[in-house]
Amino acid sequence: MEDLPEPLLAEIVKRITQTSDLNSLSLVSKQLCTVEAEYRYAIRIGRGLNPSTEALVSLFSRFPNLAKVEIDYSGWKSTDAEQLNNQGLYVLSSHCPSLSDLALSFCSYIDDTGLGYLADLKNLRSLRLNRAPAVTSTGIFRVVVGCRYLSVLYLVDCKAVDNREWLEYFGRYGSLGELVVKDCDGISQYDLLKFGAGWANLQKFEFEINGDYFTLFARDPSIVSGYPYSYDICCDSLKDLRLAHIITNEEIGLRFLLGKCKALETLYLEYVIGLHENEMISLFQRCSNLKIVSLRLRPLHYEDIEYRTALTDASLKALAVSCPMLHVVELTFAFCDPDWPTEIGFTQEGILTLIQSCPIRALLLNGASILYDEGMKCLSSSPLLEKLELVDCCSITDAGMNFIIQAPCLRSLTLRQCNKVTDNGMAELARSQKLESLTVIGCRRISLKGVRGAAKTVRYSAEFESLESLKAMNMNIK
């Protein structure tokens, strides 16, 4: 192999994607070690990293063409060796001029000084910060000003970052295509209005806050009295939108996006309190390119009469009529009493109409007590359905399993806490020999013995999940 010309060796190295394979290749010979190092474009390092200047210089000098670096200290304890610090980021910025993508997770030793060194990375296009407690808006501003081509910014659990001028500067002079803000106490949904003209270029946006938003009388923690709200903002390029755990009863806030978007392809609304159905119907009618929709809902009081989730079959009808490319749907209902089916604004008929009207390939129904075996019979006629996940669907029985296995394209089935399905239902799946994958979690009437042979790949657990896990909620009280 060493007789091969270097350009051909380089081409071989470029086609190897697994890090373990690249590491093994570099041990074969000095020539391959040299070629592999020269063409390695990405590395991922963490707790095993020696953070001394000498070690870092040696590491980053070995890979002169690095474009992507991920540094992850998840699981790190104070008794472990020291972490990468500001000096380490200086070494990184000095020895990796081609770096375009940097992710820093659980890096407690890095502050604004370290981020200031990143401003020298003129090719940096993506920065992801996950739990960087010492980083403030000053450090973010330095990166925003220094890295002219920055187009992706993730801020996750960065408690010290607030709403200073970096947002306004980015909106005026930047070209951000992706912005993700999760659990940053200093940034409210209203502060993000400062992004101004920057919304016009944004293609992906996520905003999430966590805390006590599930209490009935919770207030939006980001409401600011006397704030000069303004909503004359264009977001025509936005394709991917996720809003999670925001409360919009008293003010509009980021809900303005639902009235502005025209090009959405992916929409995640997770326990957003204050949704208006007319607004959602209008959104679905405008966004005919929608391909993925996830709605996680809980019941609330409406007009002091009804107690139900915010959306009804009218919203599902708008989706069915206006979104012909919709192929992935999640409908999750939390805190809905199965004995009171009207707490869910949708009906079984409304859900089935949506599934039958769109080319649905993947469907997740969580807490859908309104779905019965007759509904499963209708689902079985879905010509394109490949993946079905039923979570906390308490009305489905073994008869439903007999129906759904007849779906022509079904390959993957997940059952979580569906307690009326038994081993007899699993026997129906086994007899069909159709499923590629079966996952059963917390279904108390299904045994390990019962799932054997029901699919080519089977995952089974008898453990019950917490409500937080089952409903995909984050209820950490701050």
Side-chain angles (χ1 to χ4, degrees):
M1 192 170 182
E2 292 188 10
D3 295 332
L4 296 175
E6 186 169 313
L8 183 55
L9 287 176
E11 191 62 34
I12 292 172
V13 169
K14 290 177 183 178
R15 293 173 182 267
I16 298 174
T17 57
Q18 293 290 332
T19 301
S20 58
D21 293 338
L22 287 169
N23 292 338
S24 298
L25 183 67
S26 67
L27 299 175
V28 173
S29 69
K30 288 185 177 180
Q31 183 185 17
L32 283 172
C33 181
T34 301
V35 172
E36 187 274 329
E38 184 176 354
Y39 288 94
R40 176 83 72 100
Y41 78 95
I43 60 171
R44 184 177 187 274
I45 49 184
R47 287 185 291 169
L49 175 67
N50 181 345
S52 69
T53 300
E54 295 77 10
L56 293 175
V57 169
S58 176
L59 174 66
F60 294 129
S61 296
R62 180 186 169 195
F63 304 110
N65 294 311
L66 281 177
K68 182 177 181 179
V69 173
E70 180 180 355
I71 301 174
D72 186 355
Y73 280 100
S74 56
W76 181 87
K77 301 185 293 292
S78 57
T79 54
D80 294 340
E82 289 191 356
Q83 291 189 9
L84 182 87
N85 56 22
N86 294 331
Q87 181 63 24
L89 285 188
Y90 172 75
V91 174
L92 174 67
S93 62
S94 301
H95 290 80
C96 301
S98 301
L99 190 65
S100 60
D101 189 329
L102 177 62
L104 302 173
S105 297
F106 300 90
C107 294
S108 303
Y109 288 21
I110 290 171
D111 59 24
D112 295 339
T113 300
L115 258 64
Y117 296 136
L118 298 182
D120 294 331
L121 293 168
K122 302 307 178 184
N123 293 312
L124 191 66
R125 285 169 167 76
S126 173
L127 177 62
R128 293 172 169 84
L129 297 179
N130 181 8
R131 197 169 294 183
V135 171
T136 74
S137 296
T138 300
I140 300 298
F141 187 76
R142 290 173 180 171
V143 173
V144 168
V145 173
C147 302
R148 294 176 52 200
Y149 301 109
L150 192 68
S151 59
V152 177
L153 179 63
Y154 283 47
L155 299 175
V156 180
D157 203 9
C158 295
K159 305 293 188 185
V161 177
D162 60 23
N163 59 355
R164 291 186 185 177
E165 62 270 21
W166 68 273
L167 265 171
E168 189 173 352
Y169 183 93
F170 229 153
R172 288 183 179 179
Y173 306 110
S175 56
L176 207 58
E178 292 186 25
L179 176 61
V180 174
V181 179
K182 298 182 184 179
D183 243 2
C184 296
D185 294 347
I187 304 175
S188 77
Q189 54 174 310
Y190 308 104
D191 294 326
L192 287 158
L193 298 174
K194 293 181 179 179
F195 194 45
W199 285 103
N201 298 318
L202 210 59
Q203 296 186 31
K204 176 178 179 178
F205 175 69
E206 293 186 28
F207 182 76
E208 175 181 339
I209 57 177
N210 291 302
D212 61 350
Y213 54 88
F214 276 98
T215 59
L216 281 177
F217 302 103
R219 287 185 72 258
D220 183 348
S222 59
I223 287 179
V224 181
S225 178
Y227 193 94
Y229 301 107
S230 174
Y231 299 94
D232 186 18
I233 292 172
C234 171
C235 51
D236 290 349
S237 299
L238 199 60
K239 295 181 179 181
D240 190 335
L241 173 63
R242 177 176 177 265
L243 300 177
H245 318 151
I246 66 172
I247 305 168
T248 60
N249 281 347
E250 299 183 40
E251 298 285 355
I252 296 178
L254 286 175
R255 207 177 74 201
F256 85 90
L257 292 171
L258 303 178
K260 297 278 188 177
C261 294
K262 300 177 181 178
L264 284 183
E265 297 179 4
T266 301
L267 175 64
Y268 291 88
L269 297 178
E270 302 175 15
Y271 306 115
V272 175
I273 296 176
L275 291 177
H276 289 181
E277 181 151 64
N278 289 339
E279 196 172 54
M280 295 301 299
I281 291 173
S282 178
L283 172 70
F284 295 148
Q285 290 172 340
R286 288 194 314 273
C287 296
S288 59
N289 291 328
L290 268 173
K291 299 174 182 177
I292 300 173
V293 169
S294 173
L295 302 174
R296 297 178 184 172
L297 307 168
R298 61 154 300 169
L300 294 167
H301 288 284
Y302 288 88
E303 299 178 356
D304 296 325
I305 301 175
E306 293 184 281
Y307 181 69
R308 60 168 174 82
T309 56
L311 308 182
T312 70
D313 284 353
S315 294
L316 296 182
K317 182 179 179 180
L319 265 176
V321 171
S322 306
C323 303
M325 293 187 287
L326 187 66
H327 65 270
V328 177
V329 172
E330 175 192 349
L331 300 176
T332 290
F333 310 103
F335 304 115
C336 293
D337 190 335
D339 293 331
W340 296 90
T342 55
E343 289 186 1
I344 297 177
F346 303 141
T347 65
Q348 176 174 262
E349 291 71 26
I351 293 174
L352 293 175
T353 298
L354 173 65
I355 306 309
Q356 292 167 348
S357 303
C358 299
I360 304 299
R361 298 181 182 274
L363 174 64
L364 190 161
L365 297 175
N366 186 331
S369 58
I370 55 174
L371 181 69
Y372 298 89
D373 291 334
E374 64 185 60
M376 296 288 279
K377 184 177 181 180
C378 292
L379 279 181
S380 69
S381 64
S382 302
L384 300 176
L385 186 63
E386 299 174 359
K387 182 178 181 181
L388 176 63
E389 185 167 352
L390 302 175
V391 184
D392 188 28
C393 291
C394 60
S395 302
I396 302 299
T397 72
D398 292 335
M401 296 298 100
N402 191 28
F403 289 132
I404 199 59
I405 200 60
Q406 299 173 38
C409 293
L410 188 67
R411 296 293 178 266
S412 175
L413 176 63
T414 295
L415 302 173
R416 294 164 56 199
Q417 210 158 305
C418 295
N419 292 322
K420 288 187 178 179
V421 181
T422 73
D423 284 351
N424 291 333
M426 297 299 98
E428 294 291 340
L429 304 182
R431 276 191 285 272
S432 73
Q433 290 295 297
K434 181 179 180 179
L435 290 179
E436 297 283 341
S437 170
L438 172 66
T439 299
V440 175
I441 300 174
C443 299
R444 63 188 180 192
R445 299 180 68 186
I446 300 177
S447 67
L448 177 59
K449 181 180 179 181
V451 300
R452 287 175 181 160
K456 292 181 180 178
T457 302
V458 175
R459 181 191 170 204
Y460 175 85
S461 173
E463 296 291 326
F464 286 93
E465 300 175 76
S466 66
L467 179 65
E468 183 174 352
S469 172
L470 198 68
K471 300 299 180 182
M473 303 181 298
N474 188 337
M475 296 190 294
N476 294 324
I477 305 300
K478 297 178 183 179

